[in-house]
Structure formats: structure tokens, C-alpha cells
């Protein structure tokens, strides 16, 4: 009886599906709680910097003098004070839908290719071997296989979720011009589909995919290179190793798998900025017109426009130095000037 209750404990799902469902629900809950940060980053990526600058040192207490934009938490506080704290949860329905669709698509795609296309990226070999038991060639084949499979899964997932990501970006972008064109996720999907067709629903998809693939392959290849180098240093060309060295190697490998994605993500971040900017292109919102932004024929145009100073918008929570133009507001305070620049 207890065993039967255990199987029916979570919507009658199989153990693997139950694990996935619980993990997805936890991610959705965390995403909802952290949505103010996501809304803030989206506004910043769109170039919305309406709050006064401060002055300080580039290294906190050392370095040169510089102007600084509000950090994320100060930005959220000022946004909540001036526009109402409910603004920080703008587009929550679209954000949850995007994450849910992306998670489900990723899970189902992995199951599908594991069952029907097990040899994508190469045959599964040496599955029972640890990394330190593989030759360089065997390890590289494993990296290539995992990279190809992760790429397929990620491309399918972000493509499936893109319409909802576009809805979220546009709902948030309305904050800039005090607009109400897109009210809910369902209504936004209908409006975009009717006015712009599939091109509008998938606007900004190309740079997002490029950024995702750059991160995936960067993480796989850099991790592989560091791991193989460490194994050579630790064990040389022999297979003789004691338990202490083996444990130390595993600890180092765990650190690498944590640190490398963090570093590589910074190289993919500019594509995220371009993707967000392109998500609102053609929307008819104020942010898609001058003086906020010129019109773009494709994402390469957006990249060229943002390249001087815009590709790093929102990549830092703190010490956000204003490197562009500065203007004096009516209150005699200094503000970032992100108006159209040639």
C-alpha cells in the first residue's frame, strides 16, 4: 500500500517524470521570486536608464574617478518608488510560460533523441569510464558528442519558448513609454501574430541561438582542455594514482564545471542584449523608435549599433560605470544619455 501511495505521490508520474516535474516547479517558483531582477536587466538591456548617476572610483576605493549608474537593487528600488512595485513583476505570465515551455521542450527533446537518435554526435562509447580513465581521443569524442546533443536540445528549447520571451520583452518595454499595447501573454501572442506574423513571434531568435551555441561549445571545449591538462600534470602518462590524488582530481573537476560556465557566459552575453533589442523591433512601442533606437533590418544592424558601448548593458549588478554620454536633467542632476547615436 505504501509503495502504491509513493508511486501516486505526485500526479501519478513515473519517477523520472516526477523528478523533472518537481525540478521544473522549483525553477518556476525561483524565477517568479527573482523576476524583479529579470525585469530590471531587460529594461537596462533596452537602454532605459532614467535614474541619476553617482560618482566614485572604478575600484571602489581606488582607480580613476567615474560616473556610475545605479546598481540593480538601487534601480529596482527607484523603479518601484516611482512607478509602483507591481512594475517589478511586469510580464510574469509570459516569463513563467517561457521558462515552462523551454524546460518541457528541453526534457522531451532529450528523451526523443536518446530513444530515436542515440548516435547524434557520435556513438555512445566508454560510458562506464571516468574522465581520468579515457585517452585524449576518447575524451574528445565524448565532448563532441555531448556538445552536438546539447546544441540540438538547446536550439529546440529556445525556439519553442521564443514567442513567450518576445511577449515578456515587449510587456517590460512598455514600462519605458507608459504604454499598454500588450496586457497579457495570450493577448500579446494574438496581437503580435496578427500584426507581424511568425517573424514577429520569433524576432531576436537568431542572436539568442548564436549566443547559446557559443556558450555550449565554449564550456565543453574549454572544460575539456583544462581537464586534460590537469590530468597530465597530476598523473603524467601513467595510470598509477592513489585515492588521494583521485579525490583531489574530482574536486578540481567539480570546480572547473562551476567556474568555466560562469566565465564563458560573459562571451555570450552581448548576444542576449541584441536578442532583447530585436525582440521589440517592429513592435510599434516607443522604445523601437527614435530617439530610443533606430530601426533595424536584421540583428547584425543592431549589433553594429550597440557595439561601441551597448553590448554590455546590464552585464554587472554593481559598479555599473557610465562610459557613454552624460546629460544634465531639469533637477540639475547628471543622467546617462542613451539616445540614438550614429
Amino acid at each position: 500500500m505504501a509503495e502504491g501511495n509513493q508511486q501516486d505521490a505526485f500526479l501519478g508520474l513515473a519517477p523520472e517524470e516526477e523528478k523533472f516535474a518537481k525540478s521544473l516547479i522549483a525553477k518556476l517558483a525561483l524565477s517568479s521570486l527573482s523576476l524583479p531582477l529579470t525585469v530590471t536587466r531587460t529594461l537596462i538591456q533596452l537602454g532605459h536608464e532614467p535614474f541619476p548617476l553617482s560618482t566614485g572610483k572604478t575600484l571602489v576605493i581606488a582607480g580613476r574617478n567615474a560616473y556610475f549608474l545605479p546598481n540593480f537593487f538601487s534601480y529596482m528600488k527607484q523603479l518601484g518608488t516611482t512607478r509602483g512595485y507591481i512594475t517589478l513583476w511586469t510580464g510574469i505570465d509570459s516569463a513563467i510560460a517561457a521558462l515552462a515551455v523551454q524546460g518541457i521542450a528541453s526534457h522531451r527533446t532529450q528523451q526523443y533523441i536518446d530513444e530515436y537518435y542515440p548516435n547524434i554526435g557520435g556513438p555512445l562509447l566508454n560510458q562506464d569510464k571516468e574522465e581520468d580513465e579515457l585517452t585524449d581521443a576518447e575524451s574528445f569524442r565524448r565532448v563532441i558528442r555531448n556538445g552536438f546533443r546539447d546544441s540540438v536540445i538547446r536550439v529546440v528549447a529556445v525556439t519553442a519558448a521564443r514567442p513567450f520571451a518576445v511577449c515578456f520583452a515587449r510587456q517590460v518595454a512598455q514600462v519605458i513609454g507608459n504604454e499598454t499595447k500588450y496586457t497579457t501573454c495570450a493577448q500579446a501572442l494574438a496581437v503580435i501574430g496578427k500584426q507581424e506574423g511568425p517573424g514577429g513571434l520569433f524576432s531576436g531568435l537568431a542572436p539568442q541561438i548564436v549566443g547559446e551555441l557559443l556558450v555550449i561549445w565554449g564550456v565543453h571545449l574549454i572544460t575539456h582542455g583544462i581537464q586534460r591538462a590537469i590530468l597530465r600534470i597530476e598523473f603524467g602518462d601513467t595510470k598509477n594514482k592513489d585515492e588521494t590524488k583521485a579525490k583531489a582530481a574530482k574536486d578540481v573537476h567539480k570546480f572547473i564545471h562551476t567556474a568555466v560556465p560562469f566565465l564563458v557566459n560573459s562571451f555570450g552575453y552581448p548576444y542576449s542584449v541584441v536578442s532583447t533589442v530585436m525582440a521589440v523591433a517592429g513592435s510599434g512601442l516607443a522604445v523601437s523608435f527614435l530617439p530610443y533606437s533606430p530601426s533595424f533590418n536584421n540583428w547584425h544592424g543592431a549589433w553594429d549599433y550597440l557595439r561601441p558601448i551597448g553590448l554590455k548593458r546590464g552585464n554587472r549588478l554593481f559598479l555599473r560605470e557610465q562610459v557613454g554620454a552624460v546629460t544634465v536633467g531639469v533637477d540639475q542632476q547628471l543622467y546617462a544619455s542613451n539616445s540614438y547615436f550614429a
Side-chain angles (χ1 to χ4, degrees):
M1 183 69 177
E3 183 179 353
N5 290 337
Q6 185 176 1
Q7 290 179 345
D8 296 335
F10 194 82
L11 303 178
L13 297 174
E16 181 184 352
E17 297 299 324
E18 178 181 339
K19 181 180 179 181
F20 164 72
K22 289 181 177 179
S23 174
L24 181 60
I25 290 173
K27 289 179 180 178
L28 293 176
L30 181 60
S31 176
S32 299
L33 292 174
S34 63
L35 189 65
L37 280 173
T38 308
V39 169
T40 298
R41 172 167 278 118
T42 301
L43 288 171
I44 291 172
Q45 287 182 335
L46 292 171
H48 187 52
E49 298 286 0
F51 305 118
L53 302 174
S54 59
T55 57
K57 299 285 187 179
T58 53
L59 300 177
V60 184
I61 60 174
R64 57 182 172 78
N65 293 322
Y67 294 117
F68 289 94
L69 298 158
N71 64 57
F72 268 48
F73 298 99
S74 176
Y75 190 110
M76 284 191 291
K77 181 179 179 181
Q78 294 182 72
L79 183 64
T81 301
T82 57
R83 302 295 295 275
Y85 283 95
I86 192 65
T87 303
L88 296 172
W89 273 269
T90 298
I92 187 171
D93 54 344
S94 297
I96 290 176
L99 184 60
V101 170
Q102 187 168 299
I104 293 170
S106 178
H107 181 63
R108 294 303 184 194
T109 302
Q110 181 171 1
Q111 289 181 322
Y112 184 80
I113 65 173
D114 284 346
E115 182 175 355
Y116 296 103
Y117 298 96
N119 291 326
I120 284 182
L124 180 60
L125 303 173
N126 305 306
Q127 186 179 9
D128 57 337
K129 288 186 178 181
E130 295 290 337
E131 180 65 30
D132 55 355
E133 298 174 323
L134 299 173
T135 65
D136 288 344
E138 290 172 339
S139 176
F140 187 69
R141 280 196 293 268
R142 176 182 288 183
V143 167
I144 295 300
R145 181 180 191 275
N146 291 340
F148 268 108
R149 298 176 78 81
D150 287 349
S151 297
V152 171
I153 292 168
R154 195 64 182 159
V155 167
V156 171
V158 299
T159 301
R162 187 62 193 175
F164 304 98
V166 169
C167 291
F168 172 74
R170 295 190 180 193
Q171 285 176 284
V172 173
Q174 292 182 137
V175 173
I176 298 173
N178 291 315
E179 296 157 292
T180 57
K181 181 177 181 179
Y182 306 106
T183 54
T184 66
C185 179
Q187 182 266 353
L189 287 172
V191 170
I192 297 170
K194 182 178 180 180
Q195 295 183 351
E196 303 171 54
L201 292 171
F202 292 93
S203 56
L205 176 61
Q208 183 183 10
I209 288 178
V210 172
E212 296 283 357
L213 293 179
L214 180 65
V215 170
I216 287 172
W217 284 101
V219 168
H220 278 297
L221 294 175
I222 293 174
T223 301
H224 167 73
I226 295 175
Q227 283 184 326
R228 300 314 295 181
I230 290 175
L231 288 174
R232 286 182 180 277
I233 293 172
E234 289 180 339
F235 307 129
D237 294 327
T238 71
K239 291 295 181 180
N240 297 323
K241 50 185 182 289
D242 54 33
E243 291 184 1
T244 303
K245 284 186 176 181
K247 186 178 183 302
K250 288 183 178 180
D251 291 339
V252 171
H253 295 162
K254 288 180 181 178
F255 172 76
I256 291 171
H257 281 284
T258 302
V260 170
F262 178 78
L263 295 174
V264 174
N265 276 328
S266 63
F267 294 97
Y269 186 79
Y271 295 93
S272 173
V273 177
V274 175
S275 178
T276 299
V277 170
M278 289 304 297
V280 302
S283 63
L285 297 175
V287 72
S288 65
F289 296 113
L290 295 173
Y292 294 101
S293 170
S295 59
F296 304 110
N297 293 324
N298 52 56
W299 71 271
H300 300 286
W303 179 280
D304 292 338
Y305 166 73
L306 294 167
R307 182 164 48 188
I309 58 175
L311 291 176
K312 294 183 179 181
R313 290 175 178 174
N315 68 333
R316 289 184 178 183
L317 292 177
F318 302 97
L319 294 178
R320 299 176 54 231
E321 183 181 356
Q322 169 61 13
V323 296
V326 173
T327 186
V328 179
V330 294
D331 57 359
Q332 301 304 306
Q333 295 194 76
L334 296 178
Y335 292 84
S337 177
N338 286 335
S339 298
Y340 169 70
F341 51 89

